[in-house]
Amino acid sequence: MHQFVHLTTSTDWSMARWYPQLAGSPRSDGLLPRSVAGETEYRDGLTIPDWALSWVHGVHTLYRYEGPSAPVRELLPSVERVLRWYLPYLDERGVLEHVPEWNLVDWSAVFLRGTSSILASMWARALREFADLSAAYGNVGNADWARGLWEEARAGFEVFWDPERETYVDHLVDGIRQSPASQLAGATAIVSGLAPSSRWNAVADWIADQIRGVQAVTWDPRHEVVRAEPFASYMVHDALALCGRTAELTRALRDWSRFLTDGYDTFGECWGWGTPAHGWSSTPTRDIVTYLLGIEPAEAGFVSARIQPAFGVTAHMSGAAPTPYGLLHVRVTDTTCEVDSPVPFTFRAADGTTTAHPAGHTILG
């Protein structure tokens, strides 16, 4: 999320470039350490495996915004080693089970032991991203390898589907599907592509219902949904955006207002507890640009843009997003969208129609 904040709000992307390079310092077995440039890295000790999968997402994100640069290419061997570290923990269905070390993902009360849908989804997302990166650099063999594993994971992922509640559960224990079905289980199933698109809206209904959101360890797992804490909420928001659920996404963003109390102008670590200033909780900073103004790269390197504003959120909003070719400005009212773009773009209107436009100044109804 720190990287996303730079890429969506700053014209200086140097920190966004340095993050994957500095963190890309693998242990002897290929997995990334819990931290770099300190005694934790030196001792080569216990790590958080899913953080390496988040790092892969950061490498792919840099590629999306900056294009197939030399620094990204140099990181691909480390990306592959991270993915291969997980291979011994695949079961006969192609799904991860009994992954060792400290699997954290989020501070919310999600279940990761046994056979975890969340870990399986994050690994599958990384496989898709590595396939995308490998293809961009002409490495067809690695792209096919990663896509093959992703296909196996997609087929095996059906074991997590709960047809009664129409969502995915957190985990299996000894092959038996357990009751907890958190926001993250449903969201990661969508963002990884493992969930068929025909199920997306049903899953989104489950994960968007904030009335059932709880943080306590005691709850009714059949009817209550454990809510993601601020950091991992970005995956929930990504899933809602893919489903076109702007209303639920906007409602979720407004929940961050609770942190702006007692003189603080920062985002806190967790809902109701933790430290008051955490960069990893800055999901709204990205989402206001990416999902409300609706500005994203349509092609790697921002050669073209995709603009899909969230109409009706407020009477008017305006802002700009950085691209390698200059700032892309968007101004939205209830009925119009004014775009000043340095690159060609596609525009998605409120009625769902999509039109293509050249670089320059355009006013759209």
Side-chain angles (χ1 to χ4, degrees), residues 165-244:
R165 293 180 291 177
E166 294 189 290
T167 192
Y168 293 90
V169 301
D170 282 18
H171 68 149
L172 313 178
V173 175
D174 296 328
I176 299 173
R177 192 173 63 229
Q178 303 299 297
S179 293
S182 64
Q183 275 195 318
L184 282 176
T188 54
I190 291 173
V191 299
S192 64
L194 296 180
S197 57
S198 59
R199 293 177 177 172
W200 284 9
N201 273 313
V203 175
D205 286 341
W206 180 260
I207 68 175
D209 191 344
Q210 295 300 311
I211 295 174
R212 295 195 300 259
V214 293
Q215 292 81 50
V217 178
T218 55
W219 67 91
D220 176 358
R222 291 292 304 170
H223 302 96
E224 293 180 307
V225 181
V226 170
R227 184 183 187 187
E229 294 291 343
F231 167 66
S233 291
Y234 85 90
M235 290 187 281
V236 178
H237 295 192
D238 286 349
L240 292 174
L242 284 169
C243 297

Side-chain angles (χ1 to χ4, degrees), residues 50-51 104-110 112 184 227-233:
D50 54 88
W51 283 12
L104 175 62
V105 177
D106 188 36
W107 287 122
S108 60
V110 292
L112 302 167
L184 282 176
R227 184 183 187 187
E229 294 291 343
F231 167 66
S233 291

Side-chain angles (χ1 to χ4, degrees), residues 22 42 54 98 134 137 143 145 168 177 186 229 243-244 299 326 330 338 348 356:
L22 290 171
Y42 174 75
S54 295
H98 305 309
S134 298
Y137 289 96
W145 170 78
Y168 293 90
R177 192 173 63 229
E229 294 291 343
C243 297
E299 297 178 78
V330 172
E338 185 175 353
R348 185 177 176 87

Side-chain angles (χ1 to χ4, degrees), residues 222-360:
R222 291 292 304 170
H223 302 96
E224 293 180 307
V225 181
V226 170
R227 184 183 187 187
E229 294 291 343
F231 167 66
S233 291
Y234 85 90
M235 290 187 281
V236 178
H237 295 192
D238 286 349
L240 292 174
L242 284 169
C243 297
R245 308 286 285 257
T246 303
E248 290 96 331
L249 174 58
T250 304
R251 182 178 65 182
L253 285 175
R254 288 179 171 136
D255 286 345
W256 267 257
S257 298
R258 71 182 64 193
F259 294 121
L260 307 181
T261 59
D262 299 326
Y264 287 105
D265 59 358
T266 53
F267 295 133
E269 182 178 8
C270 297
W271 307 120
W273 61 280
T275 57
H278 261 67
W280 68 13
S281 298
S282 299
T283 295
T285 309
R286 178 204 67 167
D287 287 0
I288 287 171
V289 174
T290 302
Y291 295 137
L292 299 193
L293 284 176
I295 305 170
E296 288 188 277
E299 297 178 78
F302 249 123
V303 175
S304 65
R306 179 169 50 249
I307 300 175
Q308 184 176 335
F311 290 99
V313 171
T314 184
H316 59 84
M317 58 182 172
S318 62
T323 80
Y325 307 95
L327 289 173
L328 194 164
H329 295 264
V330 172
R331 183 177 186 275
V332 183
T333 69
D334 285 337
T335 58
T336 64
C337 180
E338 185 175 353
V339 178
D340 191 357
S341 174
V343 296
F345 64 94
T346 57
F347 175 77
R348 185 177 176 87
D351 62 4
T353 58
T354 302
T355 53
H357 301 272

